[in-house]
Coordinates of all heavy atoms in Angstrom, one line a residue:
M930 N 47.9 -3.3 14.2 CA 46.5 -3.3 14.4 C 45.9 -2.1 13.6 O 46.4 -1.0 13.8 CB 46.2 -3.2 15.8 CG 44.7 -3.3 16.1 SD 44.6 -4.0 17.8 CE 43.6 -2.8 18.6
N931 N 44.9 -2.3 12.8 CA 44.4 -1.3 11.9 C 43.0 -1.0 12.4 O 42.0 -1.6 12.0 CB 44.4 -1.8 10.5 CG 44.1 -0.7 9.5 OD1 43.9 0.4 9.9 ND2 44.1 -1.0 8.2
N932 N 42.8 0.0 13.3 CA 41.5 0.3 13.9 C 41.1 1.7 13.4 O 41.4 2.7 14.1 CB 41.6 0.3 15.4 CG 40.2 0.4 16.0 OD1 39.2 0.4 15.4 ND2 40.2 0.6 17.3
Q933 N 40.5 1.8 12.2 CA 40.1 3.1 11.6 C 38.7 3.4 12.0 O 37.8 2.5 11.9 CB 40.3 3.1 10.1 CG 41.8 3.0 9.7 CD 41.9 3.0 8.2 OE1 40.9 2.9 7.5 NE2 43.2 3.1 7.8
K934 N 38.4 4.6 12.3 CA 37.0 5.1 12.6 C 36.4 5.5 11.3 O 37.0 6.2 10.5 CB 37.0 6.2 13.6 CG 37.7 6.0 14.9 CD 36.6 5.5 15.8 CE 37.3 5.2 17.2 NZ 36.5 4.8 18.2
G935 N 35.2 5.1 11.1 CA 34.5 5.5 9.8 C 33.1 4.9 9.8 O 32.7 4.1 10.6
F936 N 32.4 5.2 8.7 CA 31.0 4.7 8.5 C 31.2 3.3 7.8 O 32.0 3.2 6.8 CB 30.2 5.6 7.7 CG 29.8 6.9 8.4 CD1 30.3 8.1 8.1 CD2 28.9 6.8 9.5 CE1 30.0 9.2 8.7 CE2 28.6 8.0 10.2 CZ 29.1 9.2 9.8
T937 N 30.3 2.4 8.1 CA 30.2 1.2 7.3 C 29.3 1.4 6.2 O 28.6 2.4 6.1 CB 29.7 0.0 8.2 OG1 28.3 0.3 8.6 CG2 30.5 -0.2 9.4
L938 N 29.3 0.5 5.2 CA 28.4 0.6 4.1 C 27.0 0.6 4.4 O 26.2 1.4 3.9 CB 28.7 -0.6 3.1 CG 27.9 -0.6 1.8 CD1 28.2 0.7 1.0 CD2 28.3 -1.8 1.0
I939 N 26.6 -0.2 5.4 CA 25.2 -0.2 5.9 C 24.8 1.1 6.5 O 23.7 1.6 6.2 CB 25.0 -1.4 6.9 CG1 25.3 -2.7 6.3 CG2 23.6 -1.3 7.5 CD1 24.4 -3.1 5.2
E940 N 25.6 1.7 7.3 CA 25.3 3.0 7.9 C 25.1 4.1 6.8 O 24.2 4.9 6.9 CB 26.4 3.4 8.8 CG 26.4 2.6 10.1 CD 27.7 2.9 11.0 OE1 28.7 3.3 10.4 OE2 27.6 2.6 12.2
M941 N 26.0 4.1 5.8 CA 25.9 5.0 4.7 C 24.6 4.8 3.9 O 23.9 5.8 3.5 CB 27.1 4.9 3.8 CG 28.4 5.4 4.4 SD 28.3 7.2 4.8 CE 28.2 7.9 3.2
L942 N 24.2 3.6 3.7 CA 23.0 3.3 2.9 C 21.7 3.7 3.7 O 20.8 4.3 3.2 CB 22.9 1.8 2.6 CG 23.8 1.3 1.5 CD1 23.7 -0.2 1.4 CD2 23.5 2.0 0.2
I943 N 21.8 3.6 5.0 CA 20.7 4.0 5.9 C 20.5 5.5 5.8 O 19.4 6.1 5.7 CB 20.8 3.5 7.3 CG1 20.6 2.0 7.4 CG2 19.9 4.2 8.3 CD1 21.0 1.3 8.7
V944 N 21.6 6.2 5.9 CA 21.6 7.7 5.9 C 21.1 8.2 4.5 O 20.3 9.1 4.5 CB 23.0 8.3 6.2 CG1 23.1 9.8 5.8 CG2 23.4 8.0 7.6
L945 N 21.6 7.6 3.4 CA 21.1 8.0 2.1 C 19.6 7.7 1.9 O 18.9 8.5 1.3 CB 21.9 7.3 1.0 CG 23.3 7.7 0.9 CD1 24.1 6.9 -0.1 CD2 23.3 9.2 0.4
T946 N 19.1 6.6 2.5 CA 17.7 6.3 2.4 C 16.9 7.3 3.2 O 15.8 7.8 2.7 CB 17.4 4.9 3.0 OG1 18.2 3.9 2.3 CG2 16.0 4.5 2.9
V947 N 17.3 7.7 4.4 CA 16.6 8.7 5.1 C 16.5 10.0 4.4 O 15.5 10.7 4.3 CB 17.2 8.9 6.5 CG1 16.6 10.1 7.3 CG2 17.0 7.6 7.4
I948 N 17.7 10.4 3.8 CA 17.8 11.7 3.1 C 16.9 11.7 1.9 O 16.1 12.6 1.6 CB 19.2 12.1 2.7 CG1 20.0 12.4 4.0 CG2 19.3 13.2 1.7 CD1 21.5 12.6 3.8
S949 N 16.9 10.6 1.1 CA 16.1 10.4 -0.1 C 14.6 10.5 0.3 O 13.8 11.1 -0.4 CB 16.4 9.1 -0.8 OG 17.7 9.1 -1.2
T950 N 14.2 9.8 1.4 CA 12.8 9.9 1.8 C 12.4 11.3 2.1 O 11.3 11.7 1.7 CB 12.6 8.9 3.0 OG1 13.0 7.6 2.6 CG2 11.1 8.9 3.4
L951 N 13.2 12.0 2.9 CA 12.9 13.4 3.2 C 12.7 14.3 2.0 O 11.8 15.1 1.9 CB 13.9 14.0 4.2 CG 13.9 13.4 5.6 CD1 15.1 13.9 6.4 CD2 12.6 13.7 6.3
L952 N 13.6 14.1 1.0 CA 13.5 14.9 -0.2 C 12.3 14.5 -1.0 O 11.7 15.4 -1.6 CB 14.8 14.6 -1.1 CG 16.1 15.3 -0.6 CD1 17.2 14.9 -1.5 CD2 15.9 16.8 -0.6
I953 N 11.9 13.3 -1.1 CA 10.7 12.9 -1.8 C 9.5 13.5 -1.2 O 8.5 13.9 -1.9 CB 10.6 11.3 -1.8 CG1 11.6 10.8 -2.7 CG2 9.2 10.9 -2.2 CD1 11.7 9.2 -2.7
L954 N 9.5 13.7 0.1 CA 8.4 14.3 0.8 C 8.4 15.8 0.7 O 7.4 16.5 0.7 CB 8.3 13.9 2.3 CG 8.1 12.5 2.6 CD1 8.3 12.2 4.1 CD2 6.7 12.1 2.2
L955 N 9.6 16.4 0.6 CA 9.7 17.9 0.7 C 9.6 18.5 -0.7 O 8.9 19.6 -0.8 CB 11.1 18.2 1.2 CG 11.5 19.7 1.4 CD1 10.6 20.3 2.5 CD2 12.9 19.8 1.8
I956 N 10.1 18.0 -1.8 CA 10.1 18.6 -3.1 C 8.7 19.0 -3.6 O 8.4 20.1 -4.0 CB 10.9 17.8 -4.1 CG1 12.4 18.0 -3.7 CG2 10.7 18.3 -5.5 CD1 13.3 17.2 -4.5
P957 N 7.7 18.1 -3.6 CA 6.4 18.4 -4.1 C 5.7 19.6 -3.2 O 5.0 20.4 -3.8 CB 5.5 17.2 -3.9 CG 6.5 16.1 -3.9 CD 7.8 16.6 -3.3
N958 N 6.0 19.6 -2.0 CA 5.5 20.6 -1.1 C 6.1 22.0 -1.5 O 5.4 23.0 -1.5 CB 5.7 20.3 0.4 CG 5.0 21.2 1.3 OD1 4.0 21.7 1.0 ND2 5.5 21.3 2.5
L959 N 7.4 22.0 -1.8 CA 8.0 23.2 -2.2 C 7.4 23.8 -3.5 O 7.3 25.0 -3.7 CB 9.5 23.0 -2.3 CG 10.3 22.9 -1.0 CD1 11.7 22.6 -1.2 CD2 10.1 24.1 -0.1
A960 N 7.1 22.9 -4.4 CA 6.6 23.3 -5.7 C 5.2 23.9 -5.5 O 4.9 25.0 -6.2 CB 6.5 22.1 -6.6
D961 N 4.4 23.4 -4.6 CA 3.1 24.0 -4.4 C 3.2 25.4 -3.7 O 2.5 26.3 -4.1 CB 2.3 23.1 -3.4 CG 1.8 21.8 -4.1 OD1 1.8 21.8 -5.4 OD2 1.4 20.9 -3.4
K962 N 4.2 25.5 -2.8 CA 4.4 26.8 -2.1 C 5.0 27.8 -3.1 O 4.6 29.0 -3.0 CB 5.4 26.6 -1.0 CG 4.9 25.7 0.1 CD 3.7 26.3 0.8 CE 3.3 25.3 2.0 NZ 2.0 25.6 2.5
N963 N 5.8 27.4 -4.1 CA 6.3 28.3 -5.1 C 5.2 28.9 -5.9 O 5.2 30.1 -6.1 CB 7.3 27.5 -6.0 CG 8.0 28.5 -6.9 OD1 8.2 29.6 -6.6 ND2 8.3 28.0 -8.1
N964 N 4.2 28.1 -6.3 CA 3.1 28.7 -7.1 C 2.3 29.6 -6.2 O 1.9 30.7 -6.7 CB 2.2 27.5 -7.6 CG 2.9 26.7 -8.6 OD1 3.8 27.2 -9.3 ND2 2.4 25.5 -8.8
T965 N 2.1 29.3 -5.0 CA 1.4 30.2 -4.1 C 2.1 31.5 -3.9 O 1.5 32.6 -4.0 CB 1.1 29.6 -2.7 OG1 0.5 28.3 -2.9 CG2 0.4 30.5 -1.8
M966 N 3.4 31.5 -3.7 CA 4.2 32.7 -3.6 C 4.2 33.5 -4.8 O 4.2 34.7 -4.8 CB 5.6 32.3 -3.1 CG 5.7 31.7 -1.8 SD 4.9 32.7 -0.5 CE 5.9 34.1 -0.4
Q967 N 4.3 32.9 -6.0 CA 4.3 33.6 -7.2 C 2.9 34.4 -7.4 O 2.9 35.5 -7.9 CB 4.5 32.7 -8.4 CG 5.9 32.1 -8.5 CD 7.0 33.1 -8.6 OE1 6.8 34.2 -9.1 NE2 8.2 32.7 -8.2
T968 N 1.8 33.7 -7.1 CA 0.5 34.3 -7.1 C 0.4 35.5 -6.2 O 0.0 36.6 -6.6 CB -0.6 33.3 -6.8 OG1 -0.5 32.2 -7.8 CG2 -2.0 34.0 -6.9
K969 N 0.9 35.4 -5.0 CA 0.9 36.5 -4.0 C 1.8 37.6 -4.5 O 1.4 38.8 -4.3 CB 1.4 36.0 -2.7 CG 0.3 35.1 -2.0 CD 0.7 34.7 -0.6 CE -0.3 33.9 0.1 NZ 0.0 33.5 1.5
G970 N 2.9 37.3 -5.1 CA 3.8 38.3 -5.6 C 3.2 39.1 -6.8 O 3.3 40.3 -6.9
C971 N 2.4 38.4 -7.6 CA 1.7 39.1 -8.7 C 0.6 40.0 -8.2 O 0.4 41.1 -8.7 CB 1.2 38.1 -9.7 SG 1.4 38.6 -11.4
N972 N -0.1 39.5 -7.2 CA -1.2 40.3 -6.6 C -0.6 41.6 -5.9 O -1.2 42.6 -5.9 CB -2.0 39.5 -5.6 CG -2.8 38.5 -6.3 OD1 -3.2 38.6 -7.4 ND2 -3.2 37.4 -5.5
A973 N 0.6 41.4 -5.3 CA 1.3 42.6 -4.7 C 1.7 43.6 -5.7 O 1.6 44.8 -5.5 CB 2.5 42.1 -3.9
L974 N 2.1 43.1 -6.9 CA 2.4 44.1 -8.0 C 1.1 44.8 -8.5 O 1.2 46.0 -8.8 CB 3.0 43.3 -9.2 CG 3.4 44.1 -10.4 CD1 4.5 45.2 -10.0 CD2 4.0 43.2 -11.5
V975 N 0.0 44.1 -8.5 CA -1.3 44.8 -8.8 C -1.6 45.9 -7.8 O -1.9 47.0 -8.2 CB -2.4 43.8 -8.9 CG1 -3.8 44.5 -9.0 CG2 -2.2 42.9 -10.1
Q976 N -1.4 45.6 -6.5 CA -1.6 46.6 -5.5 C -0.7 47.8 -5.6 O -1.1 49.0 -5.5 CB -1.5 46.0 -4.1 CG -2.7 45.1 -3.8 CD -2.5 44.4 -2.4 OE1 -1.5 44.4 -1.8 NE2 -3.6 43.8 -2.0
L977 N 0.6 47.5 -5.9 CA 1.6 48.6 -6.1 C 1.2 49.4 -7.3 O 1.3 50.7 -7.3 CB 3.0 48.0 -6.3 CG 4.1 48.9 -6.7 CD1 4.3 49.9 -5.6 CD2 5.3 48.2 -7.1
T978 N 0.7 48.8 -8.4 CA 0.3 49.5 -9.6 C -0.9 50.4 -9.3 O -0.9 51.6 -9.7 CB -0.1 48.5 -10.7 OG1 1.1 47.7 -10.9 CG2 -0.4 49.3 -12.0
E979 N -1.8 50.0 -8.5 CA -3.0 50.8 -8.1 C -2.5 52.0 -7.3 O -2.9 53.2 -7.6 CB -3.9 50.0 -7.2 CG -4.7 48.9 -7.9 CD -5.5 48.0 -7.0 OE1 -5.3 48.1 -5.8 OE2 -6.3 47.2 -7.5
S980 N -1.5 51.9 -6.5 CA -1.0 53.0 -5.7 C -0.2 54.0 -6.7 O -0.3 55.2 -6.5 CB 0.0 52.5 -4.6 OG -0.7 51.7 -3.7
Q981 N 0.5 53.4 -7.6 CA 1.3 54.3 -8.5 C 0.4 55.0 -9.5 O 0.7 56.1 -10.0 CB 2.4 53.4 -9.2 CG 3.4 52.9 -8.3 CD 4.1 54.0 -7.5 OE1 3.6 54.5 -6.5 NE2 5.2 54.4 -8.0
I982 N -0.8 54.4 -9.8 CA -1.7 55.1 -10.7 C -2.2 56.3 -10.0 O -2.3 57.4 -10.5 CB -2.9 54.2 -11.1 CG1 -2.4 53.1 -12.1 CG2 -4.1 55.0 -11.6 CD1 -3.4 52.1 -12.4
Q983 N -2.5 56.2 -8.7 CA -3.0 57.3 -7.9 C -1.9 58.4 -7.8 O -2.1 59.6 -7.9 CB -3.4 56.9 -6.5 CG -4.6 56.1 -6.5 CD -5.0 55.6 -5.1 OE1 -4.2 55.7 -4.1 NE2 -6.1 54.9 -5.0
A984 N -0.6 58.0 -7.6 CA 0.5 59.0 -7.6 C 0.6 59.7 -8.9 O 0.9 60.9 -9.0 CB 1.8 58.2 -7.2
Y985 N 0.5 58.9 -10.0 CA 0.5 59.5 -11.4 C -0.6 60.5 -11.5 O -0.3 61.6 -12.1 CB 0.4 58.4 -12.4 CG 0.5 58.9 -13.9 CD1 1.8 59.0 -14.5 CD2 -0.6 59.3 -14.6 CE1 1.9 59.4 -15.8 CE2 -0.5 59.8 -15.9 CZ 0.7 59.8 -16.5 OH 0.9 60.3 -17.8
E986 N -1.8 60.2 -11.1 CA -2.9 61.1 -11.2 C -2.6 62.4 -10.4 O -3.0 63.5 -10.9 CB -4.2 60.5 -10.7 CG -4.7 59.4 -11.7 CD -5.9 58.6 -11.1 OE1 -6.2 58.7 -9.9 OE2 -6.5 57.8 -11.9
I987 N -2.1 62.3 -9.2 CA -1.8 63.5 -8.4 C -0.7 64.3 -9.1 O -0.8 65.5 -9.2 CB -1.3 63.0 -7.0 CG1 -2.4 62.4 -6.2 CG2 -0.7 64.2 -6.3 CD1 -2.0 61.8 -4.9
D988 N 0.3 63.7 -9.7 CA 1.4 64.4 -10.3 C 1.0 65.1 -11.6 O 1.4 66.2 -12.0 CB 2.6 63.5 -10.5 CG 3.3 63.1 -9.2 OD1 3.1 63.7 -8.2 OD2 4.1 62.1 -9.3
N989 N 0.2 64.4 -12.4 CA -0.1 64.8 -13.8 C -1.5 65.3 -14.0 O -1.8 65.8 -15.1 CB 0.2 63.7 -14.8 CG 1.7 63.3 -14.7 OD1 2.6 64.1 -15.0 ND2 2.0 62.1 -14.2
G990 N -2.4 65.0 -13.1 CA -3.8 65.5 -13.2 C -4.6 64.7 -14.2 O -5.7 65.1 -14.6
S991 N -4.1 63.5 -14.7 CA -4.8 62.7 -15.6 C -4.5 61.2 -15.3 O -3.5 60.9 -14.6 CB -4.5 63.0 -17.0 OG -3.1 62.7 -17.3
T992 N -5.3 60.3 -15.8 CA -5.1 58.9 -15.6 C -4.1 58.4 -16.7 O -4.2 58.8 -17.8 CB -6.4 58.1 -15.7 OG1 -7.3 58.7 -14.7 CG2 -6.2 56.6 -15.4
P993 N -3.2 57.5 -16.3 CA -2.3 57.0 -17.4 C -3.1 56.1 -18.3 O -4.0 55.4 -17.9 CB -1.3 56.1 -16.6 CG -1.9 55.8 -15.3 CD -2.9 56.9 -15.0
I994 N -2.6 56.1 -19.6 CA -3.4 55.3 -20.6 C -3.0 53.8 -20.6 O -3.8 53.0 -21.0 CB -3.2 55.9 -22.0 CG1 -1.7 56.0 -22.3 CG2 -3.8 57.3 -22.1 CD1 -1.4 56.4 -23.8
D995 N -1.8 53.5 -20.2 CA -1.4 52.1 -20.1 C -0.2 52.0 -19.1 O 0.3 52.9 -18.5 CB -1.0 51.6 -21.5 CG 0.1 52.4 -22.1 OD1 0.7 53.2 -21.4 OD2 0.4 52.1 -23.3
I996 N 0.2 50.7 -18.9 CA 1.3 50.4 -18.0 C 2.6 51.0 -18.4 O 3.4 51.5 -17.6 CB 1.4 48.9 -17.8 CG1 0.2 48.3 -17.0 CG2 2.6 48.5 -17.0 CD1 0.0 48.8 -15.6
Q997 N 2.8 51.0 -19.7 CA 4.0 51.6 -20.3 C 4.2 53.0 -19.9 O 5.3 53.5 -19.7 CB 4.1 51.4 -21.8 CG 5.4 51.6 -22.4 CD 6.4 50.6 -21.9 OE1 6.1 49.4 -21.6 NE2 7.7 51.0 -21.8
T998 N 3.1 53.8 -19.8 CA 3.2 55.2 -19.3 C 3.8 55.3 -17.9 O 4.6 56.1 -17.6 CB 1.8 55.8 -19.4 OG1 1.3 55.7 -20.7 CG2 1.9 57.3 -19.0
L999 N 3.4 54.3 -17.1 CA 3.9 54.3 -15.7 C 5.3 53.9 -15.7 O 6.1 54.4 -14.8 CB 3.0 53.4 -14.8 CG 1.6 53.8 -14.6 CD1 0.8 52.6 -13.9 CD2 1.5 55.0 -13.7
I1000 N 5.7 53.0 -16.5 CA 7.1 52.6 -16.6 C 8.0 53.7 -17.1 O 9.1 54.0 -16.5 CB 7.3 51.3 -17.4 CG1 6.6 50.1 -16.7 CG2 8.7 51.0 -17.7 CD1 6.5 48.9 -17.6
E1001 N 7.6 54.4 -18.1 CA 8.4 55.5 -18.7 C 8.5 56.6 -17.7 O 9.5 57.3 -17.7 CB 7.8 55.9 -20.0 CG 7.9 54.9 -21.1 CD 7.1 55.2 -22.4 OE1 6.4 56.3 -22.4 OE2 7.2 54.4 -23.3
G1002 N 7.4 56.8 -16.9 CA 7.4 57.9 -15.9 C 8.1 57.5 -14.6 O 8.1 58.2 -13.7
E1003 N 8.7 56.3 -14.6 CA 9.4 55.8 -13.5 C 8.5 55.6 -12.2 O 9.0 55.7 -11.1 CB 10.7 56.6 -13.2 CG 11.7 56.5 -14.3 CD 13.0 57.3 -13.9 OE1 13.0 57.9 -12.9 OE2 13.9 57.2 -14.8
Y1004 N 7.2 55.3 -12.5 CA 6.3 55.0 -11.4 C 6.4 53.5 -11.1 O 6.2 53.0 -10.0 CB 4.9 55.4 -11.7 CG 4.7 56.9 -11.7 CD1 4.9 57.6 -12.9 CD2 4.4 57.5 -10.5 CE1 4.7 59.0 -12.9 CE2 4.2 58.9 -10.5 CZ 4.4 59.6 -11.7 OH 4.2 61.0 -11.7
L1005 N 6.7 52.7 -12.1 CA 6.9 51.3 -12.0 C 8.2 50.9 -12.7 O 8.6 51.5 -13.6 CB 5.8 50.5 -12.7 CG 4.4 50.5 -12.0 CD1 3.4 49.7 -12.9 CD2 4.4 49.9 -10.6
Q1006 N 8.9 49.8 -12.2 CA 10.1 49.3 -12.9 C 9.8 48.3 -14.0 O 10.5 48.3 -15.0 CB 11.0 48.7 -11.9 CG 11.6 49.6 -10.9 CD 12.6 49.0 -9.9 OE1 12.7 47.8 -9.9 NE2 13.2 49.8 -9.1
T1007 N 8.7 47.5 -13.8 CA 8.4 46.5 -14.8 C 6.9 46.2 -14.7 O 6.2 46.5 -13.7 CB 9.2 45.2 -14.5 OG1 8.9 44.3 -15.5 CG2 8.8 44.6 -13.2
D1008 N 6.4 45.6 -15.8 CA 5.0 45.1 -15.8 C 4.9 43.6 -15.6 O 3.9 43.0 -15.6 CB 4.3 45.6 -17.0 CG 4.9 44.9 -18.3 OD1 6.0 44.4 -18.2 OD2 4.2 45.0 -19.3
Q1009 N 6.1 42.9 -15.5 CA 6.1 41.5 -15.4 C 6.2 41.0 -13.9 O 6.8 41.6 -13.1 CB 7.4 41.0 -16.1 CG 7.5 41.3 -17.5 CD 7.6 40.1 -18.4 OE1 7.9 39.0 -17.9 NE2 7.2 40.2 -19.6
C1010 N 5.4 40.0 -13.7 CA 5.5 39.3 -12.4 C 6.8 38.6 -12.2 O 7.5 38.4 -13.2 CB 4.3 38.3 -12.2 SG 2.7 39.1 -12.2
A1011 N 7.2 38.3 -11.0 CA 8.5 37.7 -10.7 C 8.7 36.4 -11.4 O 9.9 36.1 -11.8 CB 8.6 37.5 -9.2
N1012 N 7.7 35.6 -11.7 CA 7.9 34.3 -12.4 C 8.1 34.5 -13.9 O 8.5 33.5 -14.6 CB 6.7 33.4 -12.1 CG 5.4 33.9 -12.7 OD1 5.3 34.9 -13.4 ND2 4.3 33.1 -12.4
G1013 N 7.9 35.7 -14.4 CA 8.1 35.9 -15.9 C 7.1 35.3 -16.8 O 7.2 35.4 -18.0
Q1014 N 6.1 34.6 -16.2 CA 5.1 34.0 -17.0 C 3.8 34.8 -17.1 O 2.9 34.5 -17.9 CB 4.7 32.6 -16.5 CG 5.9 31.7 -16.5 CD 5.7 30.4 -15.8 OE1 4.6 30.2 -15.3 NE2 6.6 29.4 -15.9
Q1015 N 3.7 35.8 -16.2 CA 2.5 36.7 -16.2 C 3.0 38.1 -16.2 O 4.1 38.5 -15.7 CB 1.7 36.4 -15.0 CG 1.1 35.0 -15.0 CD 0.4 34.7 -13.7 OE1 0.9 35.0 -12.6 NE2 -0.8 34.1 -13.8
K1016 N 2.1 39.0 -16.6 CA 2.3 40.4 -16.5 C 1.0 41.1 -16.3 O -0.1 40.5 -16.4 CB 3.0 41.0 -17.8 CG 2.1 40.9 -19.0 CD 2.8 41.5 -20.2 CE 1.9 41.6 -21.4 NZ 2.5 42.2 -22.6
I1017 N 1.1 42.4 -15.9 CA -0.1 43.2 -15.6 C -0.4 44.1 -16.8 O 0.5 44.6 -17.5 CB 0.0 44.0 -14.3 CG1 1.2 44.9 -14.3 CG2 0.0 43.0 -13.1 CD1 1.3 45.8 -13.1
T1018 N -1.7 44.4 -17.0 CA -2.1 45.3 -18.1 C -3.1 46.3 -17.5 O -3.7 46.0 -16.5 CB -2.7 44.6 -19.3 OG1 -3.9 43.9 -18.8 CG2 -1.8 43.6 -19.9
L1019 N -3.2 47.4 -18.1 CA -4.1 48.5 -17.7 C -5.0 48.8 -18.9 O -4.5 49.3 -19.9 CB -3.4 49.7 -17.2 CG -4.2 50.9 -16.8 CD1 -5.1 50.6 -15.6 CD2 -3.3 52.1 -16.5
T1020 N -6.3 48.4 -18.8 CA -7.2 48.6 -19.8 C -8.5 49.3 -19.3 O -9.1 48.8 -18.4 CB -7.6 47.3 -20.5 OG1 -6.4 46.6 -20.9 CG2 -8.5 47.5 -21.7
N1021 N -8.8 50.5 -19.8 CA -9.9 51.3 -19.3 C -10.0 51.4 -17.8 O -11.0 51.2 -17.2 CB -11.2 50.6 -19.8 CG -11.3 50.6 -21.3 OD1 -10.8 51.5 -22.0 ND2 -11.9 49.6 -21.9
G1022 N -8.8 51.6 -17.2 CA -8.8 51.8 -15.8 C -8.8 50.6 -14.9 O -8.8 50.6 -13.7
T1023 N -8.8 49.4 -15.6 CA -8.8 48.1 -14.9 C -7.5 47.4 -15.0 O -6.9 47.3 -16.1 CB -9.9 47.2 -15.5 OG1 -11.1 47.9 -15.4 CG2 -10.0 45.9 -14.7
I1024 N -6.9 47.0 -13.9 CA -5.6 46.3 -13.9 C -5.9 44.8 -14.0 O -6.7 44.3 -13.2 CB -4.8 46.6 -12.6 CG1 -4.6 48.1 -12.6 CG2 -3.5 45.9 -12.6 CD1 -4.0 48.6 -11.2
E1025 N -5.3 44.1 -14.9 CA -5.5 42.7 -15.0 C -4.2 42.0 -15.1 O -3.2 42.5 -15.6 CB -6.3 42.4 -16.3 CG -7.7 42.9 -16.3 CD -8.4 42.6 -17.7 OE1 -7.7 42.6 -18.7 OE2 -9.6 42.3 -17.6
I1026 N -4.2 40.7 -14.7 CA -3.0 39.8 -14.8 C -3.2 38.9 -16.0 O -4.2 38.2 -16.1 CB -2.8 39.0 -13.5 CG1 -2.6 39.9 -12.3 CG2 -1.6 38.0 -13.7 CD1 -2.7 39.1 -11.0
V1027 N -2.3 39.0 -16.9 CA -2.5 38.2 -18.1 C -1.2 37.3 -18.3 O -0.1 37.7 -17.9 CB -2.7 39.0 -19.4 CG1 -4.0 39.7 -19.3 CG2 -1.6 40.0 -19.6
A1028 N -1.3 36.3 -19.1 CA -0.1 35.4 -19.4 C 0.7 36.1 -20.4 O 0.2 36.8 -21.3 CB -0.6 34.1 -20.0
V1029 N 2.0 36.0 -20.3 CA 3.0 36.5 -21.3 C 2.9 35.7 -22.5 O 2.9 34.5 -22.5 CB 4.4 36.5 -20.7 CG1 5.4 37.0 -21.7 CG2 4.5 37.4 -19.4
E1030 N 2.9 36.4 -23.6 CA 2.8 35.7 -24.9 C 4.1 35.3 -25.5 O 5.1 36.0 -25.3 CB 2.0 36.5 -25.9 CG 0.6 36.8 -25.5 CD -0.1 37.8 -26.4 OE1 0.5 38.3 -27.3 OE2 -1.2 38.1 -26.1

């Protein structure tokens, strides 16, 4: 007598259908959330830069001329946002988010 325990083909197809349906519903939602998180991360970098500009002014008595000055002075590690598609610039005391060229 051969009585093996296991899944039948129909049970496996049902499980795969349920998993596929969940993935179809989940993946577009994750892509939207990723863009939102990247935007929030870039805005956080802008706020950090504003704080580091103030620290630079306290330490040096003058305003930095650009972001590279802050990086060289080790006030910032990078000017690039986490997604690598945007960076921050400092022009006339204004911090802006621009696309990487």
Side-chain angles (χ1 to χ4, degrees):
M930 188 151 124
N931 193 0
N932 189 9
Q933 295 180 350
K934 301 268 181 177
F936 291 111
T937 65
L938 180 60
I939 298 296
E940 289 171 334
M941 290 297 291
L942 288 173
I943 290 171
V944 168
L945 288 174
T946 302
V947 169
I948 290 172
S949 298
T950 304
L951 290 174
L952 286 174
I953 288 170
L954 294 173
L955 183 65
I956 289 175
N958 192 22
L959 288 177
D961 291 342
K962 297 293 181 195
N963 185 33
N964 290 337
T965 302
M966 293 306 294
Q967 295 297 337
T968 301
K969 287 183 179 182
C971 220
N972 290 337
L974 182 59
V975 168
Q976 291 178 346
L977 174 66
T978 303
E979 290 170 352
S980 299
Q981 293 305 81
I982 287 172
Q983 291 175 354
Y985 182 91
E986 289 173 350
I987 291 170
D988 292 344
N989 298 295
S991 63
T992 304
I994 56 173
D995 59 7
I996 293 293
Q997 196 60 35
T998 304
L999 292 173
I1000 293 172
E1001 290 170 359
E1003 296 183 354
Y1004 290 90
L1005 290 176
Q1006 292 181 354
T1007 183
D1008 63 345
Q1009 298 238 342
C1010 295
N1012 64 4
Q1014 297 174 355
Q1015 296 174 315
K1016 68 178 184 175
I1017 55 173
T1018 61
L1019 178 62
T1020 308
N1021 298 327
T1023 303
I1024 302 169
E1025 296 178 324
I1026 301 171
V1027 296
V1029 173
E1030 297 173 2

